[in-house]
């Protein structure tokens, strides 16, 4: 059941994160959204609250482990508990490796890998102590097959998220559920991270994108399973997408 579960969503102010917040709130979850931009957070919070949803918003940068830990603690203080964390925040600047943009590489490692790890680090001790909880990590189809040329480093970060999810499941799966969500082209701000030579190619690729609500439904499906059922991975993409 989703009703009354407390769910924290990183990157919850736009795209998949915001749509997951809408979907879960409509199903009766108590939703906490966290992201860097106060104005975007406020807009989503106001929208969901106006529809009767129980939601709070927190300004947070996933690359700062102290901020992530502080937000998890604030959510527990505000709602009384935490049941699910969705490590959704991510970036995807696509560029050939030959252009050697190490700043983009660093940023992807910091947000996509470290941000996921910091979310796990903040929530896992709590979940183990209460012997229940659900960690949902956003990987990608690029974490199954390398998206190259151009997405090599991005794929590396998403392969890491998939591997971390599976390893975590093996380590703590008897007490904590772990799910890796692996989307293909989904309508969100993710494609806007490509500003270099591959921009037109990326935007063309995303013409086949499915709405973020498709991923939100998949995440809701994973959460609403009985406690003895763990949906380990969901691959979801447009029917027309070959990659």
């Amino acid at each position: 059941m989703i009703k009354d579960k407390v769910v924290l969503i990183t990157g919850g102010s736009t795209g998949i994160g915001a749509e997951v917040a809408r979907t879960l709130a409509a199903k009766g979850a108590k939703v906490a959204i966290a992201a860097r931009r106060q104005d975007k957070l406020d807009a989503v919070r106001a929208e969901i609250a106006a529809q009767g949803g129980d939601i709070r918003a927190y300004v947070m940068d996933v690359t700062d482990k102290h901020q992530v830990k502080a937000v998890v603690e604030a959510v527990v203080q505000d709602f009384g508990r935490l049941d699910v964390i969705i490590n959704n925040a991510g970036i995807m600047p696509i560029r050939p490796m030959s252009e050697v943009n190490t700043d983009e590489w660093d940023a992807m490692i910091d947000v996509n890998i470290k941000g996921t790890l910091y979310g796990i680090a903040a929530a896992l001790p709590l979940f183990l102590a209460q012997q229940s909880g659900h960690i949902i990590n956003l990987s990608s189809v690029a974490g199954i097959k390398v998206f190259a040329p151009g997405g090599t480093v991005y794929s590396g970060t998403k392969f890491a998220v998939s591997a971390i999810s599976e390893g975590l499941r093996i380590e703590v799966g008897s007490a904590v559920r772990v799910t890796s969500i692996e989307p293909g082209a989904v309508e969100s701000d993710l494609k806007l991270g490509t500003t270099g030579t591959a921009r037109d190619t990326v935007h063309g690729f995303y013409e086949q994108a499915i709405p973020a609500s498709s991923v939100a439904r998949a995440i809701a499906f994973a959460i609403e399973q009985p406690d003895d059922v763990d949906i380990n991975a969901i691959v979801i993409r447009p029917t027309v997408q070959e990659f």
Side-chain angles (χ1 to χ4, degrees):
M1 294 291 291
I2 290 176
K3 183 174 172 56
D4 293 329
K5 282 193 173 181
V6 178
V7 183
L8 170 60
I9 307 164
T10 72
S13 63
T14 60
I16 291 174
E19 195 59 38
V20 171
R22 296 183 186 102
T23 298
L24 297 183
K27 290 178 176 288
K30 299 177 181 180
V31 177
I33 54 173
R36 291 176 302 162
R37 293 175 289 183
Q38 181 80 62
D39 58 333
K40 298 287 187 180
L41 284 168
D42 288 344
V44 175
R45 181 191 54 75
E47 174 192 347
I48 292 174
Q51 296 173 356
D54 190 350
I55 182 169
R56 300 200 184 195
Y58 306 83
V59 175
M60 183 188 80
D61 183 345
V62 295
T63 68
D64 185 330
K65 61 185 175 184
H66 302 292
Q67 289 188 31
V68 179
K69 186 174 186 293
V71 166
V72 166
E73 291 172 349
V75 170
V76 173
Q77 181 175 349
D78 291 342
F79 288 99
R81 61 182 293 112
L82 178 65
D83 300 295
V84 183
I85 185 169
I86 302 175
N87 293 305
N88 165 72
I91 58 173
M92 189 189 71
I94 300 300
R95 189 187 299 266
M97 289 195 74
S98 59
E99 295 186 14
V100 194
N101 192 308
T102 55
D103 287 343
E104 289 182 348
W105 300 353
D106 287 342
M108 280 188 280
I109 290 168
D110 288 346
V111 175
N112 299 353
I113 302 179
K114 289 183 179 180
T116 297
L117 287 171
Y118 293 160
I120 293 169
L124 185 57
L126 173 67
F127 289 168
L128 290 174
Q130 66 193 25
Q131 285 292 286
S132 68
H134 196 166
I135 295 171
I136 300 177
N137 299 324
L138 267 290
S139 181
S140 170
V141 294
I144 303 170
K145 180 180 179 182
V146 177
F147 182 29
T152 302
V153 177
Y154 176 72
S155 278
T157 66
K158 291 304 183 177
F159 267 80
V161 170
S162 295
I164 290 164
S165 300
E166 177 61 5
L168 181 63
R169 182 192 67 80
I170 293 168
E171 290 193 27
V172 303
S174 61
V176 180
R177 298 195 293 179
V178 181
T179 302
S180 177
I181 304 292
E182 298 160 359
V186 175
E187 186 55 46
S188 71
D189 288 350
L190 196 62
K191 65 180 180 291
L192 303 180
T194 298
T195 58
T197 55
R199 179 184 178 280
D200 291 344
T201 300
V202 170
H203 282 253
F205 177 79
Y206 271 81
E207 289 178 1
Q208 65 187 329
I210 54 178
S213 58
S214 304
V215 179
R217 289 194 300 272
I219 290 174
F221 171 77
I223 295 173
E224 67 190 1
Q225 299 306 304
D227 289 342
D228 62 347
V229 176
D230 189 2
I231 303 298
N232 303 146
I234 297 177
V235 181
I236 178 170
R237 69 183 115 200
T239 54
V240 298
Q241 182 178 339
E242 294 181 3
F243 166 72

